[in-house]
Amino acid sequence: MQDKMLSHGLWEETAPPSPKLIPIEGTQSADVAVIGGGYTGLSAALHLAEAGTDTILLEAKKIGFGGAGRNVGLVNAGLWLMPDDVVRIVGPAYGERLIEVLGASPDLVFGLIEKHGIQCEAMRKGTLHCAHSPGGFRALQQRQAQWKSRGAPVTLLSRKDAAPKIGSNCFHGALLDQRAGTIQPLAYAYGLAKVAELAGARLYTDSPVTDLKRESNHWRLTTPSGHVRAKAVILATLGYPQSAFKDREKELIPFNFFQFATSPLPENVRKTILPGGQGAWDTNMILSSFRLDQTGRLIVGSVGQVENMGYSLHKNWARRTIRKLFPQVGPISLEHAWNGRIAMTVDHIPRFHMLEEDLVSVSSYNGRGIGPGTVFGKLLAELVQGASPDTIPLPVAKPKGILTRSLRGLFYETGARMYHLIQRRI
Ligand SMILES: Cc1cc2nc3c(=O)[nH]c(=O)nc-3n(C[C@H](O)[C@H](O)[C@H](O)COP(=O)(O)OP(=O)(O)OC[C@H]3O[C@@H](n4cnc5c(N)ncnc54)[C@H](O)[C@@H]3O)c2cc1C
């Protein structure tokens, strides 16, 4: 479905058939136009249609083309930042609400999956944040204390208790978050698209918005094959802005994350790795993720791109990491590789823009977008239906480019390559 071999990897192979959608043709009208077919746009379209609002969604490529079809599939609660850091950055009023709303975001995701019977390998058994060092364990202690003080069901596991849950002796402990879980991310996006359509939203793919203009009392959206007139527009293009919104890349630091998947592991090995069904990632600055899929493939990921020169370097790192963390795997056959671009901001806080009258967006989830995208899609749907902007637990921000974005992107990519190269030699 996609334009690059290494873009959606395993998820594209194991997702159910994609929804059958076509490009928009001619001129159509709607109350609300949603731009982007990832979690934010699809959740917005679903909630709008369920509320009886006439809705059109335009996706530049295919459903799940952006982060939604490439991610790790960890449905985590809250942001990547620790709760107290969120409050420090956005202030107590927004901060505590943001933590509460996003802390509950897995409820919305798993609730939608259950309500609509979305087939996406959903497992709500929690996630494990694993301490890669004694310092990492101390950070988990802080994280646990901050969540506990807010009543969240998180449990700190000692090294001894974490080892059998992870299936590896390499970690110094772990934080089990019972609110969280895992999904097949592209399948979840397809599922949302199907239920949004069933609810009455009109969805079009291969329909990049190339121009967006205010005309008297409505917006006019242009694509290569058609137009939409809409009273309000939700912009949900996030880390993959194209055509008319290409410029929004300037607000993001380019930050890539790759994954490799093994062939299905034999049953006796499979049941020794993450036997409780959690997904996991570690506390390292160049973080690694690891999880199993439904067929027992082990999927490991980390920072970097697996295109061009990065491919063999990161592939070697993946092999070494599996061998080190999970020696029980034995001979390793890596069958899939893919990567994606994470929408990262300097302070790791998402952005809420009210760009013009009836043109709104929330973006930049900093690698935590399954829950947040689903939640903010719903909140944006309510906003364009008349809810107060105060219902969005973020301050309104002005779009602002990051001057050093390319330099920062280079820093992360080079840093990750160096780190994976050095690790290769350990
Ligand atoms: C490798 C990777 C790993 C990640 N791991 C996790 C994880 O484990 N857990 C988690 O919660 N989050 C994770 N994330 C983040 C998560 O995937 C994103 O935050 C999420 O996909 C955001 O959804 P979205 O709908 O806002 O944006 P996207 O999913 O990026 O969708 C935006 C869509 O807009 C479309 N678009 C762009 N321009 C136009 C245009 N002009 N006209 C029409 N359509 C347009 C794009 O084609 C794209 O389909 C990860 C991300 C990556 C890349």
Side-chain angles (χ1 to χ4, degrees):
M1 88 165 174
Q2 315 293 355
D3 62 351
K4 278 188 184 165
M5 208 176 77
L6 292 168
S7 61
H8 299 73
L10 175 67
W11 302 140
E12 190 172 358
E13 189 180 297
T14 60
S18 64
K20 304 236 167 317
L21 300 171
I22 55 167
I24 187 167
E25 277 179 19
T27 299
Q28 301 192 28
S29 297
D31 292 329
V32 181
V34 178
I35 307 175
Y39 305 133
T40 311
L42 293 166
S43 170
L46 169 62
H47 288 100
L48 284 162
E50 280 184 335
T53 301
D54 188 18
T55 304
I56 288 181
L57 181 147
L58 299 171
E59 161 55 46
K61 306 249 180 191
K62 304 290 182 201
I63 296 298
F65 174 80
R70 308 168 193 246
N71 67 65
V72 181
L74 304 175
V75 186
N76 279 312
L79 289 169
W80 178 79
L81 289 170
M82 287 205 209
D84 287 359
D85 290 336
V86 174
V87 173
R88 183 178 49 75
I89 296 167
V90 297
Y94 284 114
E96 290 300 342
R97 267 200 307 136
L98 186 59
I99 291 164
E100 191 186 330
V101 168
L102 297 188
S105 64
D107 288 344
L108 181 65
V109 172
F110 288 105
L112 288 173
I113 291 170
E114 195 180 336
K115 176 175 166 197
H116 298 288
I118 296 175
Q119 297 301 309
C120 61
E121 305 186 15
M123 282 234 279
R124 196 171 188 183
K125 301 276 177 72
T127 50
L128 287 163
H129 194 177
C130 305
H132 78 293
S133 67
F137 188 70
R138 285 191 293 279
L140 291 184
Q141 284 174 317
Q142 281 176 27
R143 198 176 275 268
Q144 186 220 19
Q146 294 177 18
W147 274 120
K148 273 270 174 205
S149 72
R150 292 170 173 92
V154 289
T155 312
L156 192 65
L157 304 171
S158 66
R159 181 175 198 138
K160 190 166 139 274
D161 291 341
K165 285 210 174 330
I166 304 168
S168 171
N169 292 320
C170 293
F171 294 97
H172 294 252
L175 188 65
L176 171 64
D177 188 335
Q178 276 136 358
R179 297 166 294 178
T182 57
I183 54 170
Q184 206 279 26
L186 183 60
Y188 175 55
Y190 285 172
L192 285 179
K194 285 174 191 163
V195 294
E197 230 191 348
L198 279 176
R202 283 169 280 162
L203 273 55
Y204 297 101
T205 48
D206 298 302
S207 301
V209 175
T210 53
D211 193 34
L212 174 66
K213 268 200 187 81
R214 185 87 196 161
E215 282 185 349
S216 61
N217 63 346
H218 65 264
W219 288 98
R220 182 180 167 83
L221 289 75
T222 302
T223 77
S225 57
H227 299 273
V228 176
R229 290 156 56 103
K231 289 181 205 136
V233 176
I234 292 176
L235 191 56
T237 55
L238 200 84
Y240 282 81
Q242 295 153 56
S243 304
F245 313 107
K246 187 85 184 134
D247 231 33
R248 295 203 66 190
E249 273 183 3
K250 289 187 191 146
E251 292 171 55
L252 305 169
I253 298 168
F255 184 88
N256 294 287
F257 197 91
F258 66 81
Q259 295 177 82
F260 282 91
T262 66
S263 51
L265 301 176
E267 184 56 29
N268 61 329
V269 176
R270 178 179 167 173
K271 64 186 185 201
T272 67
I273 299 175
L274 297 165
Q278 290 89 22
W281 78 106
D282 71 13
T283 51
N284 205 342
M285 198 172 89
I286 308 286
L287 73 83
S288 309
S289 61
F290 39 100
R291 57 163 296 185
L292 294 171
D293 78 344
Q294 199 165 256
T295 60
R297 290 181 171 89
L298 176 61
I299 307 162
V300 296
S302 188
V303 180
Q305 268 194 69
V306 286
E307 279 154 24
N308 310 321
M309 272 169 60
Y311 182 81
S312 53
L313 192 149
H314 295 310
K315 188 173 185 183
N316 283 333
W317 169 86
R319 280 182 184 287
R320 286 192 60 84
T321 297
I322 293 173
R323 211 170 289 142
K324 187 174 144 206
L325 298 184
F326 306 108
Q328 63 270 42
V329 168
I332 301 159
S333 134
L334 295 174
E335 289 191 342
H336 298 86
W338 69 103
N339 59 201
R341 198 169 60 215
I342 285 177
M344 195 156 101
T345 52
V346 175
D347 59 9
H348 304 299
I349 295 284
R351 298 286 186 262
F352 170 35
H353 297 313
M354 297 191 74
L355 297 164
E356 279 186 51
E357 198 190 343
D358 296 325
L359 173 57
V360 293
S361 86
V362 176
S363 61
S364 314
Y365 306 132
N366 288 271
R368 277 285 173 100
I370 303 175
T374 310
V375 163
F376 281 120
K378 180 171 185 277
L379 293 177
L380 287 172
E382 289 162 5
L383 179 66
V384 296
Q385 290 174 109
S388 157
D390 295 342
T391 54
I392 307 284
L394 282 168
V396 178
K398 282 211 161 75
K400 203 167 138 201
I402 303 169
L403 278 177
T404 52
R405 63 181 294 276
S406 306
L407 216 60
R408 285 172 187 255
L410 194 68
F411 171 78
Y412 286 117
E413 186 64 36
T414 315
R417 285 188 187 187
M418 298 281 285
Y419 179 74
H420 290 158
L421 196 70
I422 290 163
Q423 270 216 328
R424 221 168 62 125
R425 295 199 175 123
I426 292 169

